[in-house]
Amino acid sequence: MLARKQRAPSETSEGLLGPGPAERARCVVYDRGSTFNVFVGKGQLIAGMDKALVGMCVNERRFVKIPPKLAYGSEGVSGVIPPNAVLHFDVLLIDLWNPEDEVQVETYFKPEKCTRRVQVSDFVRYHYNGTFLDGTLFDSSHNRMRTYDTYVGIGWLIPGMDQGLLGMCIGEKRIITIPPFLAYGEEGDGKEIPGQASLVFDVALLDLHNPKDGITIENQLVPESCERRTQTGDFIRYHYNGTLLDGTLFDSSYSRNRTYDTYVGKGYVIAGMDEGLLGVCTGERRRIIIPPHLGYGEEGRGKIPGSAVLVFDIHVADFHNPSDSVSITVNYKPSNCSLLSKKGDYLKYHYNASLLDGTLLVSTQSLGKTYNIVLGSGQVVIGMDMGLQDMCVGERRTVVIPPHLGYGEDGVEGEVPGSAVLVFDIELLELVSGLPEGYMFVWNGEVSPNLFEEIDQNHDGEVLLEEFSEYIQAQVDSGKGKLAPGFDFEKIVKNMFTNQDRDGNGKVTVEEFKLKDQEAKEGHDEL
């Protein structure tokens, strides 16, 4: 429907002439395979036909009988119509317009909410059925299963359509009737549309934007507590529904049961989303409307048609920055808090683990048991090791752990989502002080000068694992020695024995046997 220059309608028409309101009529002439186009009441027809056509409706059929005095009289038409002939016409009116006509617009559906209307220079996407006044279909975007996409009011369309689309809302449906001099004029389009044809377009507007548009943000829910908002460089996890302006769903993270995870403001997503994700809080819901030049452009992508405005309804699950460390908030601290946890201490604690959006992952209280670890031994994620430092028995704190100090990009299948920020509410119940770093066993008193002989119970000059184990157990039971808390006794003892058994023959001799202070001087780490 491209616009082109129109010529003024001709004042003459081949056919029945005679003297004679100024409506332009198109009637079928069957043997010519074309219509008869003429102004009514302007002397282009015989008097009887001028009268007969007055008052007719499109698609009305009349049988007209015209006496000679209102036709060709006593002279007739040589070789065609004899003198004094009564003429009979079977007339079917298929089109009708007046030179003073304007574009007619009839809206038969309008959405309750209409935040924006079509203006000059807007770009629109719409579906249409194009018919003549008699209902004959000449074109349909529905049949092509593709919208018609164009600018409005800058000459890309026939003048009548340029006018008829102005003021429409997204989702609006209207009938636009266009007289031929605002359509394709006398010549038609050379294909489906004949000359002097009035056109009727049934239009449904699906999309609308202006090349000058930026993104539009509609806040739907902002949490009351919002201590931090996203900035460029943050990593965010969010759910979304992606639709076109007419509500057609093209994608949803909910259907995949997984958040969309990405960096903000670094070009990992389309430009409009990069901008729209800035300044959000955890738990916030917002609608981001993105014009195509900030989305997928003229070509579109997958289920997204070219030049489509995109609507994303997002829900922020969490976000963090790769430079973030563990965040610790002390909720309660006992008045007596002199003994603080440190690396190597054995801790028993309860915790509730959740995501930033409040989703509970696990609770030791619901499991009915404490969580027990040796602090700094790698038994928990790095962030938890950090979060449990310098804590006293009875203290309660909240520890927020970014994913690079938690379970990383992979998470834990079925338990912790990838790249998730974790929140632990912790209560320390018990603390057993550990040994100095590097020690698995220490003496509580003076070490016997005849230590090897005491271990070598059968005095054969060799100590076996069983002898070594019995001796260490006896020292622990009597309080003379202490093992690193939280570790398996047999594993510790076997490790200590292996360190002493330098030649690996399963026996320790007096030459091999050395205490920790002796080993330190030699760069070893033993008993």
Side-chain angles (χ1 to χ4, degrees):
M1 292 181 292
L2 298 180
R4 57 179 176 171
K5 294 182 179 179
Q6 306 296 320
R7 294 203 299 265
S10 172
E11 291 296 322
T12 62
S13 178
E14 180 184 359
L16 304 173
L17 301 179
E23 296 283 354
R24 183 82 180 199
R26 294 176 60 235
C27 307
V28 176
V29 182
Y30 297 98
D31 60 354
R32 297 180 185 174
S34 63
T35 57
F36 189 82
N37 308 331
V38 66
F39 281 103
V40 177
K42 298 192 71 173
Q44 295 182 359
L45 296 167
I46 57 176
M49 186 60 78
D50 249 349
K51 291 182 178 181
L53 292 177
V54 173
M56 284 192 76
C57 305
V58 173
N59 282 332
E60 182 178 344
R61 187 174 184 179
R62 287 183 178 179
F63 294 97
V64 179
K65 179 181 178 181
I66 303 177
K69 63 180 181 179
L70 295 177
Y72 292 94
S74 58
E75 297 181 2
V77 177
S78 179
V80 179
I81 300 175
N84 297 311
V86 177
L87 305 182
H88 296 264
F89 292 89
D90 181 357
V91 180
L92 175 63
L93 187 66
I94 63 170
D95 200 347
L96 169 68
W97 57 273
N98 190 286
E100 296 179 359
D101 283 349
E102 296 178 349
V103 173
Q104 299 177 39
V105 174
E106 176 190 349
T107 296
Y108 64 92
F109 177 79
K110 182 179 290 186
E112 293 182 3
K113 183 179 180 181
C114 183
T115 57
R116 178 171 178 176
R117 298 175 182 272
V118 177
Q119 298 178 352
V120 172
S121 80
D122 283 344
F123 191 90
V124 297
R125 295 193 312 113
Y126 60 93
H127 270 304
Y128 70 90
N129 287 324
T131 64
F132 301 123
L133 277 185
D134 67 350
T136 302
L137 183 72
F138 63 83
D139 190 18
S140 173
S141 64
H142 298 280
N143 293 343
R144 294 190 297 274
M145 299 181 68
R146 182 173 181 178
T147 56
Y148 194 83
D149 309 339
T150 185
Y151 287 96
V152 177
I154 62 172
W156 283 34
L157 294 166
I158 56 175
M161 186 59 83
D162 257 346
Q163 295 178 33
L165 291 172
L166 292 174
M168 286 193 77
C169 308
I170 299 299
E172 183 175 339
K173 296 180 181 180
R174 59 171 57 172
I175 304 293
I176 302 172
T177 305
I178 304 174
F181 54 88
L182 295 175
Y184 293 94
E186 290 186 7
E187 297 179 0
D189 70 346
K191 299 177 182 177
E192 292 84 3
I193 302 175
Q196 302 292 14
S198 300
L199 305 181
V200 181
F201 291 93
D202 188 342
V203 176
L205 186 63
L206 303 185
D207 202 338
L208 158 68
H209 77 277
N210 193 283
K212 297 179 181 179
D213 287 348
I215 67 168
T216 300
I217 294 176
E218 300 174 5
N219 289 323
Q220 299 170 326
L221 172 65
V222 180
E224 292 182 5
S225 175
C226 183
E227 298 179 357
R228 175 174 172 182
R229 297 179 179 271
T230 52
Q231 298 178 350
T232 298
D234 284 343
F235 190 89
I236 188 172
R237 296 191 315 117
Y238 63 96
H239 272 301
Y240 70 89
N241 285 323
T243 64
L244 305 180
L245 271 184
D246 66 349
T248 301
L249 182 71
F250 62 80
D251 193 17
S252 173
S253 64
Y254 297 99
S255 65
R256 294 188 294 273
N257 197 29
R258 181 173 181 177
T259 58
Y260 192 84
D261 310 338
T262 186
Y263 286 97
V264 177
K266 300 185 72 173
Y268 284 78
V269 290
I270 56 175
M273 185 60 81
D274 241 357
E275 183 180 348
L277 290 173
L278 290 172
V280 295
C281 310
T282 295
E284 182 172 341
R285 295 177 185 268
R286 68 167 46 172
R287 172 169 287 183
I288 305 171
I289 302 174
I290 303 175
H293 52 276
L294 297 175
Y296 291 99
E298 295 182 5
E299 297 181 359
R301 179 178 177 180
K303 296 180 180 179
I304 301 173
S307 299
V309 177
L310 308 181
V311 180
F312 289 93
D313 289 310
I314 70 164
H315 182 202
V316 181
D318 70 29
F319 66 91
H320 72 280
N321 195 281
S323 62
D324 286 348
S325 187
V326 171
S327 170
I328 299 174
T329 302
V330 176
N331 302 316
Y332 171 76
K333 181 174 288 191
S335 56
N336 181 14
C337 191
S338 56
L339 181 61
L340 301 179
S341 59
K342 63 183 184 307
K343 184 176 181 180
D345 287 349
Y346 182 63
L347 307 180
K348 292 184 179 182
Y349 58 96
H350 271 309
Y351 71 83
N352 291 326
S354 61
L355 303 178
L356 269 185
D357 64 358
T359 302
L360 182 65
L361 300 176
V362 66
S363 171
T364 56
Q365 291 174 323
S366 64
L367 296 175
K369 59 181 180 180
T370 60
Y371 200 79
N372 310 327
I373 68 161
V374 175
L375 189 57
S377 64
Q379 296 176 349
V380 290
V381 295
I382 297 173
M384 182 59 84
D385 259 341
M386 298 168 65
L388 289 169
Q389 293 278 354
D390 299 321
M391 195 172 183
C392 61
V393 174
E395 183 177 340
R396 293 193 295 270
R397 58 173 57 173
T398 298
V399 179
V400 180
I401 302 175
H404 51 275
L405 297 175
Y407 291 98
E409 293 182 7
D410 296 331
V412 179
E413 187 173 358
E415 297 181 35
V416 180
S419 299
V421 178
L422 304 179
V423 181
F424 288 89
D425 290 312
I426 301 168
E427 181 180 8
L428 184 59
L429 302 177
E430 187 176 333
L431 184 158
V432 179
S433 296
L435 303 184
E437 188 171 355
Y439 286 81
M440 299 301 289
F441 175 86
V442 295
W443 298 97
N444 289 329
E446 293 295 327
V447 181
S448 172
N450 302 315
L451 182 56
F452 184 82
E453 288 75 9
E454 291 180 9
I455 299 175
D456 182 17
Q457 297 177 18
N458 60 6
H459 306 293
D460 61 357
E462 297 176 339
V463 174
L464 302 179
L465 177 59
E466 292 76 12
E467 292 177 292
F468 189 81
S469 179
E470 290 177 6
Y471 183 81
I472 295 298
Q473 183 68 66
Q475 306 312 303
V476 173
D477 291 343
S478 66
K480 295 181 179 180
K482 179 181 178 182
L483 287 171
F487 293 99
D488 181 74
F489 173 81
E490 291 184 1
K491 290 183 179 179
I492 292 179
V493 172
K494 187 175 180 180
N495 183 61
M496 294 168 62
F497 180 82
T498 300
N499 288 339
Q500 295 291 334
D501 182 17
R502 305 177 191 284
D503 58 11
N505 65 353
K507 302 174 183 179
V508 177
T509 63
V510 68
E511 290 78 16
E512 293 176 301
F513 188 80
K514 289 183 174 61
L515 295 177
K516 181 70 176 179
D517 57 349
Q518 297 170 325
E519 293 294 345
K521 298 175 183 177
E522 299 176 14
H524 296 288
D525 185 15
E526 307 295 349
L527 183 63

